[in-house]
Amino acid sequence: MLDTHFRRLPGDVGNARTWPFPVQFRVVRGADPAAIVHGSPEVFLEPFIAAALDLVACGVRGITTSCGFLALLQKELAAALPVPVATSSLLQAPLIEAMLPAGQQVGILTFAAEALSPRHLAAVGVRAETPIEGLPPDSLFRRVYGNRGGISDPAELEREVVAAARTLVERHPNVGAILCECTNLPPHSAAIAAATGRPVFDIVGFIEWFARGLSPQSYR
């Protein structure tokens, strides 16, 4: 978990009630949104490894994170830990594109488009030319989830998110599915799908799939 203090809505990766199975959290102190999104996550590699190893020692069987920009650490964390690691929702992009009809592509909705670089995409196998749309820098969403203050107004947050998603599909009509990079976006995934008519993939659906692999359902 990043070092944050904002309200986490139901559906947010950091709200324990989001999950249909037990979860544990560890906060990596100093790894705030500015440091990870606009800084160098590599500086925090060892603290993230230490936090993950502590979780594993407590019985955790799979690791995820609370920020899609930690895609930059996917290979390093996977190499360092004894359990599977899914750092970022962006890992889904190649699979989503493989499922889409001919001529369609995935589009990414992100916290900060200006910060989501080709390096982030390459780290998890996403095509460099993938369409990307972010929330405006002066949006309430960026203020709240960037740890810069602001009242967490779910209705206003959803309005901003839906507007960004609509812009994404208007600019790129061949976007056949939307992938939410940001782990604070899933509370609004249903609204995004309703507004755009596209399937929406996010970190919550990804980790539910991930967890099912760790503990398959028995049908006996």
Side-chain angles (χ1 to χ4, degrees), residues 48-70:
F48 272 104
I49 290 173
L53 287 173
D54 184 39
L55 287 166
V56 172
C58 292
V60 166
R61 290 185 287 163
I63 298 291
T64 188
T65 81
S66 71
C67 182
F69 281 80
L70 288 168

Side-chain angles (χ1 to χ4, degrees), residues 6-7 140-141 143-144 148-157:
F6 49 76
R7 175 188 176 195
L140 178 64
F141 194 95
R143 293 200 305 275
V144 169
R148 295 190 284 120
I151 298 173
S152 183
D153 178 346
E156 175 62 15
L157 294 170

Side-chain angles (χ1 to χ4, degrees), residues 32-105:
D32 61 20
I36 300 303
V37 174
H38 298 286
S40 299
E42 296 88 346
V43 173
F44 295 94
L45 176 59
E46 291 305 320
F48 272 104
I49 290 173
L53 287 173
D54 184 39
L55 287 166
V56 172
C58 292
V60 166
R61 290 185 287 163
I63 298 291
T64 188
T65 81
S66 71
C67 182
F69 281 80
L70 288 168
L72 284 177
L73 302 186
Q74 173 64 35
K75 291 182 176 65
E76 290 79 3
L77 287 174
L81 299 177
V83 299
V85 180
T87 55
S88 176
S89 182
L90 296 175
L91 283 159
Q92 299 175 90
L95 176 59
I96 296 167
E97 290 215 321
M99 296 188 294
L100 291 176
Q104 293 187 6
Q105 62 181 333

Side-chain angles (χ1 to χ4, degrees), residues 103-108 129-133 165-178 198:
Q104 293 187 6
Q105 62 181 333
V106 68
I108 295 172
E129 63 271 23
T130 299
I132 296 172
E133 187 66 39
R166 283 178 169 151
T167 299
L168 173 62
V169 298
E170 287 166 4
R171 290 178 174 171
H172 306 278
N174 67 332
V175 163
I178 295 174
R198 270 71 166 181

